[in-house]
Amino acid sequence: MKHASQKCLQIIGCGSVFKSIQVDIGRYCLDYGQINFVEFDDVSSIALNTASVLSDLSPEAADLFLAVDQNALNYARLELYGPAKLKGFKCTSMVHDSAALGVGTYIGENVWIGPNVRIFNRCNIAADTFIAACSTIGDDTHVGAHSWIGKNCLISDSVSIGTNCVICDLININAKIKIGRNTILAQPGLILNNVQSGTFHEFIYEKPGHMIGRNYSFSKRGVSK
Amino acid sequence: MKSLMPPEAYIDESWFLREQKLLFGNIWQFIAPYSLLSKTNAFVRRRVSGIDIIVQNASGQIIAYENVCRHRLSPIQNEDQGVRAMVCPYHGWSYDENGFAKVIPFENECYRFSAEERMSLKLNTFHIYRFGSLIFINLSDNPINFYDQFDSNGVRELKDASDLFDSEILVTKFRLKCNWKLIYENLRDPLHPRFVHSSTIYRHVKFKAEVDETAAAEAKLFDASKSHSRDDFLADLRSFSGGGKNEPMPDLPSYQWHQYVERYGQDDWYLNWLMFPNLHIASGSAGYSFIIEHHIPISAAQTEMWVYYVTGKKKRKYPTSAAVLLAHIKGAETVLREDFDIMEKVQSAITANSPPQMTGDYEYQNMLIEKWYLSLMEGRHGF
Ligand code: FES
Ligand SMILES: [Fe+2]
């Protein structure tokens, strides 16, 4: 296998994360021979063009980073990530050099840790999850795959966040809270109670939207992962 | 043509209460999709005509109860929907499927009811009708036949479509500051999309406002005050519900998830149904997915809107189904906002001294319905 420095890195995506990486690429401490950017027009063009973009590349020659903002439970990013993994690509993670990671904290692949993020000890940030600038995550917290944490969030200790979640900017989550999968928290403020899977907290509804059906409200456990 | 609707019909609370009694107290009205009630102990709680109602799956039967404990009047269920047995949280009374108090903790030690008192401990129940996968409720002790209210042919397609609804469903609730009738007059108005939705849905679906000469002439001639039998009254009522293929969608986008769900029908048409008075179901994806809009009148100037998003039944599970439903709400939200906005403005403009509305021939449906409605409200006809 080639050493990373002999491989090239393809950064594929669109949106604010893609752009912020592009202008700041020098601060991600990457060890690649070459770095290329492939930008999509918008999220709707991803599904249509993923196959052709990937077919020009080989997993032996290139690693990938798939940089797409949150959009419909991060579905757009998953549309790139899923096919890339099926084709055997390795995805790198991008940690900004101003971010700090604690002891025993594990970061999956295709994770983006933005500028000035603080992640304390023994956390687990699963694959394909993005954490935007100036957010802080306490000890022993788990964030599921394909999730998004916005800017200036404060996630306390021992919090568990499910897969495919979107936690928007300026949200504080109290210690030991469980956030189920497929959840959107879009109202800045403090989360003091567990949030069931499939809950959409947004301004537009008088009460949060809820997914109902198998594995949601009908699941045995109150909060399913 | 000068509309006969007085401004009170939209703003007056005593009018509202009379309407609740005369109309909503007698008709079948939607309460919830069956899929929210499919599991034992699944329930839906809604406040209809001021009554706190739970519809509950009680050992497989779907039954509607008044959500008021017979002990100290505590609500038995406190969430809008969920899965929980009928046990009052206050002192733990449980109720059986017929609404009778089943187990009363410390009954002999603390309550010491006489046999007669014990027998009387029963929740109020209401009549239920399951139409496809839509559950309807009737608050009257003596309800009219469901098909006296709805024409079985006219609403058959909707029944078939609802049988295709998937069990994964997204529920949201909005509150509108307007009278519920404005919403339905707007839904029956095919001319407004080109103005109100010009940059959204009108770009994809060209709603046409045409005058149906016969229907318009009939609506004008229709005079509910003259020799109009109860049968005629019900026949008119039945003509208010129905729908189906509304307008063609020539550039319907194709999404990957379409192949994972069953589709209602084969044609690329916008589907649209109204079930009088307060249920609207549409499919902007030509049969792959549906929006169910249920408007519950709260007061003269307030309406609660429950929205359910659902796709056709899944042929197989796919990991992004939640994102698909979420994308629907994002798409629908903009269009809903455009309507909310205009209707709330209209509501705020109506005063007791407003001049009469001037409806045009293209509004023949609204014309007919208002005449029928006034014959009910003015006591010329009843159920
Ligand atoms: S109020 Fe329900 S058990 Fe006492
Ligand atoms: Fe509209």
PDB file of all heavy atoms in Angstrom, chain B residues 68-76 87-95 104-105 111, ligand 1:
ATOM      1  N   VAL B  68     -61.148  12.192  29.990  1.00  0.00           N
ATOM      2  CA  VAL B  68     -61.354  12.795  31.302  1.00  0.00           C
ATOM      3  C   VAL B  68     -61.639  11.684  32.299  1.00  0.00           C
ATOM      4  O   VAL B  68     -62.646  10.985  32.190  1.00  0.00           O
ATOM      5  CB  VAL B  68     -62.549  13.774  31.269  1.00  0.00           C
ATOM      6  CG1 VAL B  68     -62.790  14.337  32.665  1.00  0.00           C
ATOM      7  CG2 VAL B  68     -62.290  14.911  30.298  1.00  0.00           C
ATOM      8  N   CYS B  69     -60.752  11.518  33.245  1.00  0.00           N
ATOM      9  CA  CYS B  69     -60.903  10.444  34.227  1.00  0.00           C
ATOM     10  C   CYS B  69     -62.151  10.674  35.076  1.00  0.00           C
ATOM     11  O   CYS B  69     -62.454  11.805  35.468  1.00  0.00           O
ATOM     12  CB  CYS B  69     -59.660  10.385  35.104  1.00  0.00           C
ATOM     13  SG  CYS B  69     -59.776   9.126  36.368  1.00  0.00           S
ATOM     14  N   ARG B  70     -62.887   9.573  35.368  1.00  0.00           N
ATOM     15  CA  ARG B  70     -64.118   9.695  36.111  1.00  0.00           C
ATOM     16  C   ARG B  70     -63.882   9.979  37.596  1.00  0.00           C
ATOM     17  O   ARG B  70     -64.795  10.273  38.331  1.00  0.00           O
ATOM     18  CB  ARG B  70     -64.974   8.426  35.947  1.00  0.00           C
ATOM     19  CG  ARG B  70     -65.580   8.249  34.565  1.00  0.00           C
ATOM     20  CD  ARG B  70     -66.429   9.431  34.130  1.00  0.00           C
ATOM     21  NE  ARG B  70     -67.324   9.896  35.173  1.00  0.00           N
ATOM     22  CZ  ARG B  70     -68.524   9.397  35.439  1.00  0.00           C
ATOM     23  NH1 ARG B  70     -68.992   8.441  34.692  1.00  0.00           N
ATOM     24  NH2 ARG B  70     -69.252   9.876  36.411  1.00  0.00           N
ATOM     25  N   HIS B  71     -62.627   9.864  38.043  1.00  0.00           N
ATOM     26  CA  HIS B  71     -62.379  10.147  39.442  1.00  0.00           C
ATOM     27  C   HIS B  71     -62.311  11.650  39.681  1.00  0.00           C
ATOM     28  O   HIS B  71     -63.274  12.273  40.084  1.00  0.00           O
ATOM     29  CB  HIS B  71     -61.092   9.429  39.902  1.00  0.00           C
ATOM     30  CG  HIS B  71     -60.708   9.714  41.324  1.00  0.00           C
ATOM     31  ND1 HIS B  71     -59.400   9.861  41.726  1.00  0.00           N
ATOM     32  CD2 HIS B  71     -61.468   9.898  42.434  1.00  0.00           C
ATOM     33  CE1 HIS B  71     -59.377  10.113  43.026  1.00  0.00           C
ATOM     34  NE2 HIS B  71     -60.602  10.134  43.487  1.00  0.00           N
ATOM     35  N   ARG B  72     -61.180  12.259  39.338  1.00  0.00           N
ATOM     36  CA  ARG B  72     -61.023  13.684  39.611  1.00  0.00           C
ATOM     37  C   ARG B  72     -60.766  14.483  38.332  1.00  0.00           C
ATOM     38  O   ARG B  72     -60.120  15.521  38.379  1.00  0.00           O
ATOM     39  CB  ARG B  72     -59.898  13.891  40.628  1.00  0.00           C
ATOM     40  CG  ARG B  72     -60.177  13.214  41.985  1.00  0.00           C
ATOM     41  CD  ARG B  72     -60.901  14.132  42.956  1.00  0.00           C
ATOM     42  NE  ARG B  72     -60.025  15.236  43.329  1.00  0.00           N
ATOM     43  CZ  ARG B  72     -60.402  16.524  43.365  1.00  0.00           C
ATOM     44  NH1 ARG B  72     -61.626  16.851  43.024  1.00  0.00           N
ATOM     45  NH2 ARG B  72     -59.550  17.443  43.730  1.00  0.00           N
ATOM     46  N   LEU B  73     -61.242  13.918  37.216  1.00  0.00           N
ATOM     47  CA  LEU B  73     -61.233  14.628  35.933  1.00  0.00           C
ATOM     48  C   LEU B  73     -59.840  14.890  35.348  1.00  0.00           C
ATOM     49  O   LEU B  73     -59.668  15.778  34.501  1.00  0.00           O
ATOM     50  CB  LEU B  73     -62.009  15.954  36.027  1.00  0.00           C
ATOM     51  CG  LEU B  73     -63.362  15.906  36.721  1.00  0.00           C
ATOM     52  CD1 LEU B  73     -64.050  17.261  36.631  1.00  0.00           C
ATOM     53  CD2 LEU B  73     -64.255  14.838  36.126  1.00  0.00           C
ATOM     54  N   SER B  74     -58.861  14.144  35.778  1.00  0.00           N
ATOM     55  CA  SER B  74     -57.535  14.307  35.172  1.00  0.00           C
ATOM     56  C   SER B  74     -57.561  13.746  33.748  1.00  0.00           C
ATOM     57  O   SER B  74     -58.274  12.790  33.469  1.00  0.00           O
ATOM     58  CB  SER B  74     -56.506  13.530  36.005  1.00  0.00           C
ATOM     59  OG  SER B  74     -55.351  13.289  35.242  1.00  0.00           O
ATOM     60  N   PRO B  75     -56.788  14.347  32.826  1.00  0.00           N
ATOM     61  CA  PRO B  75     -56.639  13.691  31.519  1.00  0.00           C
ATOM     62  C   PRO B  75     -55.951  12.333  31.713  1.00  0.00           C
ATOM     63  O   PRO B  75     -55.051  12.215  32.543  1.00  0.00           O
ATOM     64  CB  PRO B  75     -55.731  14.638  30.728  1.00  0.00           C
ATOM     65  CG  PRO B  75     -55.731  15.921  31.471  1.00  0.00           C
ATOM     66  CD  PRO B  75     -56.014  15.596  32.903  1.00  0.00           C
ATOM     67  N   ILE B  76     -56.371  11.358  30.948  1.00  0.00           N
ATOM     68  CA  ILE B  76     -55.780  10.017  31.076  1.00  0.00           C
ATOM     69  C   ILE B  76     -54.520   9.927  30.228  1.00  0.00           C
ATOM     70  O   ILE B  76     -53.510   9.391  30.652  1.00  0.00           O
ATOM     71  CB  ILE B  76     -56.818   8.956  30.667  1.00  0.00           C
ATOM     72  CG1 ILE B  76     -57.992   9.047  31.653  1.00  0.00           C
ATOM     73  CG2 ILE B  76     -56.213   7.553  30.681  1.00  0.00           C
ATOM     74  CD1 ILE B  76     -59.262   8.418  31.153  1.00  0.00           C
ATOM     75  N   VAL B  87     -54.428   4.340  31.563  1.00  0.00           N
ATOM     76  CA  VAL B  87     -54.293   4.383  33.018  1.00  0.00           C
ATOM     77  C   VAL B  87     -54.161   5.846  33.409  1.00  0.00           C
ATOM     78  O   VAL B  87     -53.318   6.574  32.875  1.00  0.00           O
ATOM     79  CB  VAL B  87     -53.039   3.607  33.489  1.00  0.00           C
ATOM     80  CG1 VAL B  87     -52.887   3.708  34.997  1.00  0.00           C
ATOM     81  CG2 VAL B  87     -53.118   2.155  33.056  1.00  0.00           C
ATOM     82  N   CYS B  88     -54.994   6.290  34.324  1.00  0.00           N
ATOM     83  CA  CYS B  88     -54.922   7.683  34.732  1.00  0.00           C
ATOM     84  C   CYS B  88     -53.677   7.909  35.582  1.00  0.00           C
ATOM     85  O   CYS B  88     -53.415   7.169  36.521  1.00  0.00           O
ATOM     86  CB  CYS B  88     -56.183   8.049  35.517  1.00  0.00           C
ATOM     87  SG  CYS B  88     -56.113   9.748  36.106  1.00  0.00           S
ATOM     88  N   PRO B  89     -52.896   8.941  35.233  1.00  0.00           N
ATOM     89  CA  PRO B  89     -51.650   9.146  35.977  1.00  0.00           C
ATOM     90  C   PRO B  89     -51.860   9.659  37.402  1.00  0.00           C
ATOM     91  O   PRO B  89     -50.946   9.584  38.226  1.00  0.00           O
ATOM     92  CB  PRO B  89     -50.898  10.181  35.127  1.00  0.00           C
ATOM     93  CG  PRO B  89     -51.924  10.852  34.290  1.00  0.00           C
ATOM     94  CD  PRO B  89     -53.062   9.901  34.121  1.00  0.00           C
ATOM     95  N   TYR B  90     -53.066  10.154  37.687  1.00  0.00           N
ATOM     96  CA  TYR B  90     -53.274  10.821  38.991  1.00  0.00           C
ATOM     97  C   TYR B  90     -53.369   9.808  40.132  1.00  0.00           C
ATOM     98  O   TYR B  90     -52.573   9.835  41.073  1.00  0.00           O
ATOM     99  CB  TYR B  90     -54.531  11.700  38.879  1.00  0.00           C
ATOM    100  CG  TYR B  90     -54.684  12.799  39.914  1.00  0.00           C
ATOM    101  CD1 TYR B  90     -55.722  13.731  39.809  1.00  0.00           C
ATOM    102  CD2 TYR B  90     -53.795  12.931  40.994  1.00  0.00           C
ATOM    103  CE1 TYR B  90     -55.880  14.751  40.734  1.00  0.00           C
ATOM    104  CE2 TYR B  90     -53.960  13.953  41.921  1.00  0.00           C
ATOM    105  CZ  TYR B  90     -54.995  14.857  41.800  1.00  0.00           C
ATOM    106  OH  TYR B  90     -55.163  15.866  42.703  1.00  0.00           O
ATOM    107  N   HIS B  91     -54.345   8.847  40.055  1.00  0.00           N
ATOM    108  CA  HIS B  91     -54.451   7.847  41.120  1.00  0.00           C
ATOM    109  C   HIS B  91     -54.487   6.430  40.571  1.00  0.00           C
ATOM    110  O   HIS B  91     -54.912   5.511  41.248  1.00  0.00           O
ATOM    111  CB  HIS B  91     -55.698   8.080  41.973  1.00  0.00           C
ATOM    112  CG  HIS B  91     -55.848   9.480  42.456  1.00  0.00           C
ATOM    113  ND1 HIS B  91     -56.530  10.436  41.735  1.00  0.00           N
ATOM    114  CD2 HIS B  91     -55.386  10.107  43.576  1.00  0.00           C
ATOM    115  CE1 HIS B  91     -56.489  11.595  42.382  1.00  0.00           C
ATOM    116  NE2 HIS B  91     -55.800  11.431  43.495  1.00  0.00           N
ATOM    117  N   GLY B  92     -54.082   6.306  39.297  1.00  0.00           N
ATOM    118  CA  GLY B  92     -53.858   4.973  38.766  1.00  0.00           C
ATOM    119  C   GLY B  92     -55.073   4.180  38.339  1.00  0.00           C
ATOM    120  O   GLY B  92     -54.981   2.970  38.135  1.00  0.00           O
ATOM    121  N   TRP B  93     -56.225   4.800  38.174  1.00  0.00           N
ATOM    122  CA  TRP B  93     -57.372   4.042  37.660  1.00  0.00           C
ATOM    123  C   TRP B  93     -57.055   3.587  36.235  1.00  0.00           C
ATOM    124  O   TRP B  93     -56.536   4.368  35.429  1.00  0.00           O
ATOM    125  CB  TRP B  93     -58.637   4.902  37.591  1.00  0.00           C
ATOM    126  CG  TRP B  93     -59.235   5.281  38.901  1.00  0.00           C
ATOM    127  CD1 TRP B  93     -58.602   5.369  40.104  1.00  0.00           C
ATOM    128  CD2 TRP B  93     -60.602   5.645  39.132  1.00  0.00           C
ATOM    129  NE1 TRP B  93     -59.484   5.770  41.080  1.00  0.00           N
ATOM    130  CE2 TRP B  93     -60.729   5.943  40.507  1.00  0.00           C
ATOM    131  CE3 TRP B  93     -61.723   5.757  38.308  1.00  0.00           C
ATOM    132  CZ2 TRP B  93     -61.933   6.354  41.081  1.00  0.00           C
ATOM    133  CZ3 TRP B  93     -62.928   6.161  38.877  1.00  0.00           C
ATOM    134  CH2 TRP B  93     -63.030   6.444  40.255  1.00  0.00           C
ATOM    135  N   SER B  94     -57.426   2.344  35.925  1.00  0.00           N
ATOM    136  CA  SER B  94     -57.294   1.912  34.539  1.00  0.00           C
ATOM    137  C   SER B  94     -58.678   1.644  33.976  1.00  0.00           C
ATOM    138  O   SER B  94     -59.639   1.414  34.723  1.00  0.00           O
ATOM    139  CB  SER B  94     -56.420   0.663  34.437  1.00  0.00           C
ATOM    140  OG  SER B  94     -57.048  -0.410  35.083  1.00  0.00           O
ATOM    141  N   TYR B  95     -58.776   1.702  32.649  1.00  0.00           N
ATOM    142  CA  TYR B  95     -60.075   1.570  31.978  1.00  0.00           C
ATOM    143  C   TYR B  95     -60.023   0.449  30.957  1.00  0.00           C
ATOM    144  O   TYR B  95     -58.979   0.222  30.328  1.00  0.00           O
ATOM    145  CB  TYR B  95     -60.438   2.898  31.294  1.00  0.00           C
ATOM    146  CG  TYR B  95     -60.756   3.991  32.294  1.00  0.00           C
ATOM    147  CD1 TYR B  95     -59.756   4.823  32.791  1.00  0.00           C
ATOM    148  CD2 TYR B  95     -62.055   4.168  32.766  1.00  0.00           C
ATOM    149  CE1 TYR B  95     -60.048   5.809  33.730  1.00  0.00           C
ATOM    150  CE2 TYR B  95     -62.350   5.150  33.698  1.00  0.00           C
ATOM    151  CZ  TYR B  95     -61.350   5.971  34.177  1.00  0.00           C
ATOM    152  OH  TYR B  95     -61.636   6.939  35.106  1.00  0.00           O
ATOM    153  N   ILE B 104     -59.146  -0.181  40.113  1.00  0.00           N
ATOM    154  CA  ILE B 104     -59.008   1.036  40.918  1.00  0.00           C
ATOM    155  C   ILE B 104     -58.129   0.665  42.104  1.00  0.00           C
ATOM    156  O   ILE B 104     -58.554  -0.087  42.975  1.00  0.00           O
ATOM    157  CB  ILE B 104     -60.394   1.523  41.405  1.00  0.00           C
ATOM    158  CG1 ILE B 104     -61.283   1.839  40.189  1.00  0.00           C
ATOM    159  CG2 ILE B 104     -60.241   2.728  42.325  1.00  0.00           C
ATOM    160  CD1 ILE B 104     -62.659   2.365  40.536  1.00  0.00           C
ATOM    161  N   PRO B 105     -56.891   1.135  42.120  1.00  0.00           N
ATOM    162  CA  PRO B 105     -56.004   0.757  43.225  1.00  0.00           C
ATOM    163  C   PRO B 105     -56.603   1.185  44.567  1.00  0.00           C
ATOM    164  O   PRO B 105     -57.144   2.288  44.676  1.00  0.00           O
ATOM    165  CB  PRO B 105     -54.709   1.510  42.928  1.00  0.00           C
ATOM    166  CG  PRO B 105     -54.772   1.831  41.469  1.00  0.00           C
ATOM    167  CD  PRO B 105     -56.224   2.000  41.141  1.00  0.00           C
ATOM    168  N   TYR B 111     -62.049   3.843  48.476  1.00  0.00           N
ATOM    169  CA  TYR B 111     -63.150   4.473  47.741  1.00  0.00           C
ATOM    170  C   TYR B 111     -64.527   4.029  48.250  1.00  0.00           C
ATOM    171  O   TYR B 111     -65.418   4.841  48.432  1.00  0.00           O
ATOM    172  CB  TYR B 111     -63.029   4.188  46.244  1.00  0.00           C
ATOM    173  CG  TYR B 111     -61.814   4.827  45.591  1.00  0.00           C
ATOM    174  CD1 TYR B 111     -60.602   4.135  45.491  1.00  0.00           C
ATOM    175  CD2 TYR B 111     -61.867   6.119  45.078  1.00  0.00           C
ATOM    176  CE1 TYR B 111     -59.492   4.709  44.890  1.00  0.00           C
ATOM    177  CE2 TYR B 111     -60.754   6.700  44.466  1.00  0.00           C
ATOM    178  CZ  TYR B 111     -59.566   5.990  44.376  1.00  0.00           C
ATOM    179  OH  TYR B 111     -58.476   6.546  43.769  1.00  0.00           O
TER     180      TYR B 111
HETATM  181  S1  FES C   1     -58.151  11.539  38.682  1.00  0.00           S
HETATM  182 FE1  FES C   1     -57.889   9.755  37.565  1.00  0.00          FE
HETATM  183  S2  FES C   1     -57.437   8.338  39.032  1.00  0.00           S
HETATM  184 FE2  FES C   1     -57.822  10.069  40.216  1.00  0.00          FE
END
